[in-house]
Amino acid sequence: SVSPGPPPADHDATAAAAAAGAAPLAPLAALNEMHDVGMCALRLGCHFVVETLAHAKDKSLLPEWVRMLQMWLHRSPVACRWFLLQSEAAGWVRSLLLACTVSEMREKFAQLLLHAAAVLRPLELHLYPIAPLLPDTAPPVVVVTTSLSGSLEGTDEEEGEEEEPGMLDAGVRLAAHEDALAGGILTSPPKRARTDSSLPAPAASSSLAAAPQPELPAGLRLLGCLLDLLPEAPHHWRHFSHFFETALAMAQLGPEERGWMLRRRFASHLVDFYLADESPCVGLPAHLDEGRAAPRRARMGDKCTLPQLEHMVALLSLLARAAHRHEPVARTPLSLEGRLLHMAADEYQLLGHGALLRRLLKDGLHVAAICDLCEHLCYESRDATETALHVILSGIDTMDNEQLGPYLTTFCHVVDLADSLAAWRIDWALQRLLHVISNNMRYKQATISCMRALLSLCVLSSRPRRWMLHQRALWVKEWLLSGLSSQVRCTAEHFIKAILAAESQPSAAAAGAAAAGDTAVGAAL
């Protein structure tokens, strides 16, 4: 059996020396030269877990070994720095967070990384604001134009086909300044050169440069390692969930980590990774001929399984809410507390790009984080609201009933935003939603799902409810008399009763009436 036991006295001396500021940014070679008993024992234990126990059939001792290593790391910040640097240099991060197929091993290794980073952070935190960065290409100039026209009817485009013009197919068009193409800011080329709805690509990861790197705080080295491994992640899509969970946990440690990630354009890299060949990042590397087709990137997921990217979506939402917005109102109710960080203007526009929102909603990944992101972008912004609602309404108009959940949930959150644009947003969105419902009455279950989502919005919020009552000529007759099935007409009857009850009763009683009505409708169906 493995018993952690108390660490030797010289191990405590190592921790005391680190706390006093002895060699806070020692390189890995210097840390490997430390031959005190504590460091030798920790190095041996880490090598055993990573190189032996990780490959064993019987991993029953793994939790006990991880607890022991965490205890020793907690006592020695120097050992924490060694573990983080060794994990990067020896390829442990790649082999155990990306390539490893054993979920328990990935989880335990991620725990060790995060524990070491949390212990070391207070001692290296004062170095974060002045941590050196290799010069990145300056953010290119972006021109934003918005156009919305046509009718409500629209369909999702097939893969590889261009969108047809129309109100539901309009979006934010972003053209990168031509000088950006000469700056080498692409991580990987797109499927083809794009002439519209495009954004500059993220800057190439600077830690891959040939020049010798200055010593960085170990936590930032770990973030840089995760960023460098991102292009390889699609090949390990079946088991990379802990990779993004680690990145999210590092960002949650504090604003210093989030600021570093924004300076390295982490969000742009994530979007480019997620959208792959559909990425709106434009430009071709200088060494490629203009007429030469760019190689296709690895696809993630199959017909039965989607990649586990919930933590990636949460990270995108977190970074967006940590930064100031490039809008007249820089802060929203969803912004993180404290000083807002700087995010490049083109990166901010990328987070609200129609291609990203369309893919997120279609995959249905972490709907709560998608709602937070959309609310944050749409707050006091007419352009962002139109772009988001265009994507949402297009999905409601074309998706099957089983896929409507993320679209309807996000629609309700965006429409219920409380800002100076609330009246305009409700009128703009609900008119078009009623048009979508009218055009799809023949699809019974989808129509009922839309009615129920709209009912939940109207019961809980007075403004949409009063709009529906004032505009009853647009929907009452059609829903009650023209409904093509008894289930649709029954749902319409319940809808009318519930919003009338909500208008005349306190909110708590109205919510109870709506819940009771849902039960009655379910029994009738």
Side-chain angles (χ1 to χ4, degrees):
S1 64
V2 179
S3 176
D10 55 348
H11 197 67
D12 291 330
T14 301
L25 292 183
L28 180 61
L31 296 175
N32 281 326
E33 293 298 321
M34 298 179 64
H35 297 299
D36 62 274
V37 176
M39 282 295 293
C40 290
L42 182 93
R43 286 197 294 263
L44 180 61
C46 290
H47 279 282
F48 171 74
V49 169
V50 172
E51 299 172 0
T52 302
L53 191 55
H55 303 282
K57 274 188 176 181
D58 182 9
K59 293 183 173 59
S60 59
L61 293 179
L62 180 60
E64 194 168 355
W65 270 95
V66 170
R67 284 195 300 271
M68 178 178 66
L69 292 178
Q70 284 179 330
M71 182 192 71
W72 283 57
L73 290 171
H74 184 73
R75 291 172 176 260
S76 175
V78 171
C80 292
R81 179 169 175 83
W82 173 86
F83 177 69
L84 293 175
L85 297 183
Q86 178 68 16
S87 297
E88 176 194 4
W92 293 352
V93 175
R94 177 195 174 278
S95 61
L96 292 179
L97 284 186
L98 279 181
C100 180
T101 60
V102 181
S103 176
E104 181 185 12
M105 190 65 224
R106 297 195 305 270
E107 178 184 357
K108 295 302 182 183
F109 182 71
Q111 288 179 4
L112 286 175
L113 287 176
L114 295 173
H115 184 80
V119 171
L120 189 58
R121 184 176 186 270
L123 298 180
E124 294 188 345
L125 190 60
H126 66 286
L127 300 171
Y128 277 33
I130 58 174
L133 257 184
L134 295 182
D136 287 337
T137 304
V141 177
V142 177
V143 179
V144 182
T145 59
T146 304
S147 62
L148 288 168
S149 61
S151 63
L152 187 64
E153 298 176 5
T155 59
D156 282 353
E157 67 277 7
E158 295 294 330
E159 182 178 349
E161 296 181 357
E162 297 295 332
E163 294 184 0
E164 297 180 358
M167 183 179 63
L168 293 186
D169 299 305
V172 179
R173 299 170 183 260
L174 299 154
H177 192 273
E178 58 183 4
D179 292 341
L181 299 180
I185 59 172
L186 270 182
T187 301
S188 55
K191 180 167 56 178
R192 62 178 182 272
R194 300 176 185 266
T195 57
D196 56 35
S197 300
S198 52
L199 275 167
S205 178
S206 59
S207 60
L208 295 176
Q213 301 268 340
E215 286 301 323
L216 294 175
L220 301 186
R221 291 287 295 267
L222 175 59
L223 286 174
C225 179
L226 295 176
L227 182 60
D228 293 340
L229 290 172
L230 192 58
E232 187 180 346
H235 300 285
H236 307 283
W237 65 268
R238 292 185 182 275
H239 35 75
F240 60 20
S241 60
H242 293 92
F243 177 85
F244 293 102
E245 185 177 4
T246 302
L248 174 62
M250 289 294 297
Q252 290 171 336
L253 288 178
E256 292 80 10
E257 285 79 6
R258 294 190 288 271
W260 179 265
M261 296 172 85
L262 291 173
R263 293 174 66 189
R264 293 291 299 273
R265 302 175 65 88
F266 218 98
S268 297
H269 285 281
L270 289 175
V271 173
D272 190 60
F273 149 81
Y274 177 54
L275 295 181
D277 291 325
E278 300 174 2
S279 173
C281 302
V282 297
L284 290 173
H287 64 274
L288 286 180
D289 297 331
E290 190 170 317
R292 181 178 169 187
R296 292 180 65 88
R297 289 189 269 181
R299 294 180 63 88
M300 298 180 291
D302 54 31
K303 292 182 179 179
C304 302
T305 309
L306 286 174
Q308 299 179 0
L309 289 169
E310 288 79 5
H311 295 104
M312 185 210 71
V313 181
L315 178 56
L316 286 176
S317 175
L318 180 68
L319 292 178
R321 293 182 292 114
H324 73 86
R325 307 189 317 150
H326 292 270
E327 302 283 354
V329 179
R331 180 183 289 274
T332 76
L334 288 126
S335 296
L336 301 187
E337 296 181 359
R339 182 176 62 88
L340 295 178
L341 305 172
H342 173 71
M343 174 183 284
D346 60 293
E347 188 166 41
Y348 175 79
Q349 296 291 345
L350 182 60
L351 291 177
H353 196 275
L356 174 62
L357 298 180
R358 186 180 300 110
R359 179 76 175 277
L360 288 174
L361 290 168
K362 184 177 181 180
D363 291 345
L365 298 171
H366 205 323
V367 178
I370 297 174
C371 291
D372 288 345
L373 177 62
C374 289
E375 289 185 65
H376 180 75
L377 295 173
C378 295
Y379 186 82
E380 296 288 359
S381 174
R382 188 181 293 257
D383 290 341
T385 297
E386 291 180 347
T387 301
L389 289 176
H390 147 69
V391 173
I392 295 168
L393 289 169
S394 178
I396 296 174
D397 191 31
T398 57
M399 291 296 171
D400 295 334
N401 178 62
E402 294 77 10
Q403 299 174 289
L404 287 181
Y407 295 92
L408 294 173
T409 302
T410 309
F411 177 87
C412 292
H413 278 78
V414 172
V415 172
D416 199 30
L417 270 176
D419 60 4
S420 63
L421 300 176
W424 164 83
R425 184 183 293 112
I426 289 171
D427 182 70
W428 196 96
L430 293 186
Q431 280 196 45
R432 287 154 179 80
L433 179 62
L434 292 180
H435 195 169
V436 168
I437 294 175
S438 176
N439 289 344
N440 292 277
M441 274 285 191
R442 62 189 181 277
Y443 302 114
K444 177 180 62 178
Q445 294 301 329
T447 300
I448 292 174
S449 296
C450 291
M451 288 181 177
R452 288 178 173 174
L454 187 54
L455 173 60
S456 66
L457 173 65
C458 292
V459 166
L460 297 176
S461 182
S462 61
R463 285 192 175 188
R465 179 173 67 245
R466 288 167 186 167
W467 187 94
M468 291 294 293
L469 292 173
H470 292 158
Q471 302 293 334
R472 56 190 178 274
L474 299 177
W475 56 275
V476 170
K477 179 180 177 181
E478 183 175 21
W479 290 11
L480 282 179
L481 300 180
S482 302
L484 301 181
S485 69
S486 60
Q487 291 93 333
V488 170
R489 294 192 295 271
C490 180
T491 305
E493 178 186 2
H494 165 60
F495 182 95
I496 296 172
K497 291 179 178 179
I499 63 173
L500 290 175
E503 188 66 15
S504 59
Q505 298 176 8
S507 57
D518 284 338
T519 304
V521 171
L525 294 178

